Amino acid sequence: MRAPWTRRRRLLPGLLALACLATVAVAAAVPLSTPSARAADPVLVLDATFEDGTTQGFRPRADETVAVSSAVAHGGTRSLLTSCRSASWQGPAIDLLDEMVEGTRYTLTVWVRLAAGESPGQVRLSVQRDSGGTSAYDQVVGDTAVTADTWVRLSGTYVLAHDVDGVSAYVETAGGTADLHIDDFTMAYQPTKPVQTDIPALREVLAADFPIGAAIGNRQIIGDQAVLLRRHFDTVTPGNALKWDATQPTEGAFRWADADTQVGFAADNGLAVRGHTLVWHQQTPAWVFTDTDGTPLTSDPADKALLLSRLEAHIRAVVGRYGDAIGVWDVANEVIDENQSDGLRRSRWYEISGLDYLRTAFRVAREVAPTAKLYINDYNTNVPAKRDKLRDLVTRLRAEGVPIDGVGHQMHVNVQWPAIAETEAMLQAFIPLGVEQQVTEMDVSIYVADNESFPTPPADRLLTQAYRYRDLFALYRRYADELTSVTLWGLADDDTWLDTFPVARKDAPLLFDTELQAKSAYWGIVDPTRIDPTPTPTASPTVSPTVSPTASPTATPTTGLDTCRATYTVTNQWPGGFQASLRITNTGVSAHDGWTVRWRFPDGQLISQLWNGTVRQDGPEVTVTPTSWNSALPAGGTVEFGFLAGWKTSNNRPVGFTLDGLTCTTG
């Protein structure tokens, strides 16, 4: 019989360390080119099955009803039913304060199903943190399609990285107030291995070349993560804590807790800090671009003056707070759109103020931090079109006296892209400008296509990744006189943005694995003789980058009419769900700016997540509009997006594809 409710005691630190040391001793003899030894079994902390007839610690978040039900069950004969909900955020919650240890990575899993008779909807699994009378909310599993006919598994990882007075996990819906069942909730953690102290420190290996850095959050400055960070890195970049939505979510109301904590950790441990970022078209609160009455700002002189005054006030507050503690700032981030004739991204910043937002940002940053290095930062700067547009902009602004000290190359790449020669051309292009250069956000995805997904990283991909790190760092070291630092966008594979972008799947893009152990990629930098030999440099790619938003050209249109072609592909399917992609090709002679794509599902399919666009679904009718970076669709160009969706009885292809009202051919 299944146990109805279990609370497992955590292992004592000493015993856990001994167990992990034994595991490491076995793993040390494994060749680098083969998969690592089997990890220790997870430790189950909570297991709620509701078979004893109690709610087993689950409670309502407000005045809804939470009670054991025998109507349906995922396992056994009972589940937990939440009914009488009056808001989408209401749902079953369980307090975890006595169970969660700060800095430990937990896997939270729950099975969800709507009550009989409820229409299909979307559910998510979240965590609420309470501290000092305020609450914060972290999403563990995003919106997921659910019906009354099938159980759906929600499973994600969570690390408590804040001091809290309370913490709870809960299930909610994306909208509506449908009754819902949950069952078989578990919380477990994977015992970790100790940080390796018998391998060379990255910062020491690269000391003669350039400082090496990592992007961090609160998670990376506690426990073993902090040990790893201190051992191997010279610099840190707060990944989110210094962005506008984190520091000033509402006008004049600043929040400094996370940024202060991360910058303070760096100061206490002798780490330099890169400030990221002051101006960006994303993660900027909506109020920045609206009048006091909520009306969107325009390019009217008064509106422009208001926007620039807000920008100046924000920079003076943020940069002024940290003074000499932050020696480098990404003043402006991702301002280039190579698809525009002038190369400038049509962000709200640009639409309202033209280039004056950049002039203002750099001027004010220099006034507040006269000794700091001020950078303009962008992705895909190895792509010739984007590289040249950025170089032209930097040349123009510096000629005007705008104090741009350096150019940041993000370098979000993959195991097949870009070519080493293309990357070298990127570095060479900016040398004549007399600016500093830094690699600011590097990671190397193991994926080369959106339709790939691996349960565990294949050994051959990890080895290819090691070659890629080897060759790129060999290039960086040849240009050490030009590069003043290289930063990796993360510390280890247990916490990477690529797990959710551009597709929800486990990636492994960094030098240390999910157990904080050095990978072949690490040895590719530190001692390439430790990995199997391969020709240098690695072969030029035949696959375009998954993170590149650049529209790729297709065949020249053969018609003088405005026409389009839709290519729909189901890349993966399982009971109740599937993953698909749609490529729209502009086969006409006119460009489409701010395009709209529509189609119709024939079998009640329901999209739960879409990337590279913004989706709206009304019954069977689906409408997708662009993101800020792929709104231009030139003649002969393509745009592609993918999505996850649910299905019930069948999953036939959608029909009625249109581009801005034009009927598209399929194929």
Side-chain angles (χ1 to χ4, degrees):
M1 180 178 176
R2 297 162 68 246
W5 173 251
T6 307
R7 290 178 184 256
R8 302 286 176 87
R9 296 187 63 184
R10 290 181 290 273
L11 294 177
L12 294 175
L15 295 176
L16 180 57
L18 289 174
C20 293
L21 285 172
T23 304
V24 171
V26 173
V30 177
L32 286 169
S33 58
T34 64
S36 59
R38 178 180 179 272
D41 291 333
V43 175
L44 189 64
V45 178
L46 295 177
D47 181 14
T49 67
F50 313 110
E51 293 302 295
D52 64 356
T54 73
T55 63
Q56 297 179 345
F58 277 87
R59 56 168 176 78
R61 300 189 72 211
D63 56 357
E64 69 273 33
T65 300
V66 172
V68 176
S69 169
S70 58
V72 292
H74 174 256
T77 61
R78 294 184 174 92
S79 64
L80 191 70
L81 172 65
T82 302
S83 57
C84 303
R85 300 170 64 236
S86 58
S88 62
W89 56 266
Q90 294 179 2
I94 184 168
D95 296 323
L96 302 176
L97 183 62
D98 293 337
E99 309 299 335
M100 273 194 171
V101 175
E102 189 174 343
T104 298
R105 183 172 181 245
Y106 294 95
T107 298
L108 303 179
T109 301
V110 64
W111 290 84
V112 186
R113 174 176 180 161
L114 297 183
E118 298 285 7
S119 299
Q122 294 180 326
V123 293
R124 52 186 176 232
L125 176 62
S126 303
V127 166
Q128 176 178 328
R129 292 179 282 111
D130 303 313
S131 180
T134 62
S135 297
Y137 306 92
D138 303 319
Q139 196 170 101
V140 179
V141 181
D143 292 348
T144 304
V146 66
T147 70
D149 303 318
T150 307
W151 287 95
V152 174
R153 180 176 180 264
L154 306 182
S155 185
T157 59
Y158 184 76
V159 176
L160 181 62
H162 302 76
D163 293 331
V164 295
D165 304 322
V167 60
S168 60
Y170 62 94
V171 175
E172 60 182 337
T173 53
T177 58
D179 294 351
L180 58 90
H181 294 268
I182 68 167
D183 202 0
D184 295 335
F185 172 87
T186 60
M187 183 173 83
Y189 69 89
Q190 188 79 42
T192 57
K193 300 173 183 177
V195 172
Q196 296 157 297
T197 57
D198 58 348
I199 61 175
L202 273 171
R203 57 185 174 80
E204 294 175 357
V205 172
L206 298 170
D209 301 301
F210 40 70
I212 183 74
I216 64 168
N218 285 359
R219 175 175 177 175
Q220 282 71 41
I221 61 175
I222 55 178
D224 287 345
Q225 300 256 355
V227 174
L228 185 70
L229 181 64
R230 286 191 296 259
R231 176 167 177 76
H232 288 285
F233 295 93
D234 301 295
T235 75
V236 295
T237 301
N240 285 294
L242 287 166
K243 291 174 180 173
W244 200 313
D245 62 347
T247 54
Q248 193 183 184
T250 57
E251 188 164 15
F254 287 89
R255 299 190 307 196
W256 305 111
D258 287 350
D260 283 356
T261 298
Q262 293 167 33
V263 175
F265 173 88
D268 292 343
N269 291 278
L271 301 171
V273 181
R274 296 191 78 260
H276 179 80
T277 177
L278 298 174
V279 179
W280 191 25
H281 64 278
Q282 295 187 32
Q283 290 186 243
T284 302
W287 67 263
V288 177
F289 305 115
T290 60
D291 205 340
T292 53
D293 62 0
T295 303
L297 299 181
T298 69
S299 58
D300 175 89
D303 284 356
K304 176 180 176 179
L306 175 60
L307 178 66
L308 296 180
S309 69
R310 287 171 172 171
L311 176 61
E312 178 167 352
H314 180 80
I315 293 175
R316 290 192 182 279
V318 176
V319 178
R321 182 175 183 85
Y322 296 105
D324 294 339
I326 297 180
V328 178
W329 282 98
D330 287 333
V331 175
N333 194 47
E334 300 178 2
V335 305
I336 297 297
D337 178 358
E338 65 273 35
N339 294 311
Q340 301 291 339
S341 60
D342 59 5
L344 299 174
R345 180 184 295 279
R346 287 344 191 225
S347 66
R348 293 291 289 137
W349 291 107
Y350 182 82
E351 290 171 347
I352 297 168
S353 69
L355 282 178
D356 282 348
Y357 79 97
L358 293 176
R359 299 180 178 107
T360 298
F362 279 94
R363 172 183 59 80
V364 176
R366 173 67 86 227
E367 290 175 5
V368 180
T371 62
K373 297 294 185 179
L374 308 182
Y375 271 70
I376 187 168
N377 188 52
D378 220 316
Y379 63 90
N380 284 3
T381 51
N382 55 281
V383 176
K386 189 157 198 173
R387 175 197 69 205
D388 295 344
K389 297 293 188 183
L390 178 60
R391 183 186 58 200
D392 292 347
L393 176 63
V394 173
T395 300
R396 173 182 175 180
L397 292 177
R398 281 172 58 88
E400 295 178 6
V402 177
I404 299 176
D405 298 313
V407 170
H409 308 287
Q410 291 186 10
M411 287 298 291
H412 295 294
V413 302
N414 67 38
V415 294
Q416 290 188 355
W417 177 89
I420 299 302
E422 187 178 275
T423 309
E424 183 170 18
M426 171 191 79
L427 298 174
Q428 290 175 337
F430 292 91
I431 293 174
L433 274 61
V435 294
E436 291 185 359
Q437 298 186 67
Q438 294 185 352
V439 172
T440 58
E441 304 182 18
M442 184 180 180
D443 44 31
V444 180
S445 173
I446 63 173
Y447 295 106
V448 297
D450 285 356
N451 61 359
E452 291 186 325
S453 183
F454 304 126
T456 57
D460 62 333
R461 289 292 174 97
L462 293 178
L463 191 57
T464 304
Q465 182 188 63
Y467 302 150
R468 173 64 53 176
Y469 269 110
R470 178 198 64 188
D471 296 343
L472 284 171
F473 267 79
L475 172 67
Y476 298 160
R477 294 170 92 166
R478 292 202 304 272
Y479 283 83
D481 290 342
E482 305 298 332
L483 284 171
T484 58
S485 78
V486 174
T487 294
L488 301 172
W489 203 243
L491 182 62
D493 289 344
D494 66 322
D495 187 14
T496 167
W497 74 297
L498 291 175
D499 284 349
T500 57
F501 180 89
V503 181
R505 59 190 174 187
K506 187 71 191 95
D507 209 328
L510 298 165
L511 304 181
F512 300 93
D513 65 18
T514 57
E515 294 186 291
L516 311 188
Q517 304 299 290
K519 296 163 54 181
S520 297
Y522 160 89
W523 291 108
I525 299 171
V526 171
D527 183 2
T529 65
R530 296 283 298 269
I531 59 176
D532 295 342
T534 190
T536 302
T538 48
S540 298
T542 58
V543 180
S544 60
T546 57
V547 297
S548 172
T550 308
S552 57
T554 58
T556 301
T558 58
T559 174
L561 301 175
D562 285 333
T563 57
C564 56
R565 183 174 64 251
T567 305
Y568 178 82
T569 306
V570 174
T571 56
N572 195 12
Q573 181 168 307
W574 55 93
F578 68 101
Q579 179 179 329
S581 65
L582 178 63
R583 179 185 296 114
I584 298 294
T585 302
N586 179 7
T587 54
V589 295
S590 301
H592 292 259
D593 292 325
W595 48 264
T596 298
V597 171
R598 291 187 171 90
W599 71 85
R600 184 170 63 259
F601 278 125
D603 301 314
Q605 296 98 325
L606 185 65
I607 292 178
S608 59
Q609 180 183 358
L610 183 139
W611 48 94
N612 295 346
T614 300
V615 65
R616 183 176 73 254
Q617 184 168 357
D618 184 9
E621 306 292 336
V622 178
T623 301
V624 176
T625 52
T627 65
S628 57
W629 48 259
N630 65 355
S631 61
L633 181 53
T638 64
V639 64
E640 184 170 358
F641 42 85
F643 59 86
L644 300 175
W647 62 281
K648 296 174 67 175
T649 57
S650 58
N651 185 26
N652 291 308
R653 293 171 60 86
V655 295
F657 294 103
T658 65
L659 169 64
D660 291 339
L662 298 171
T663 299
C664 298
T665 60
T666 57

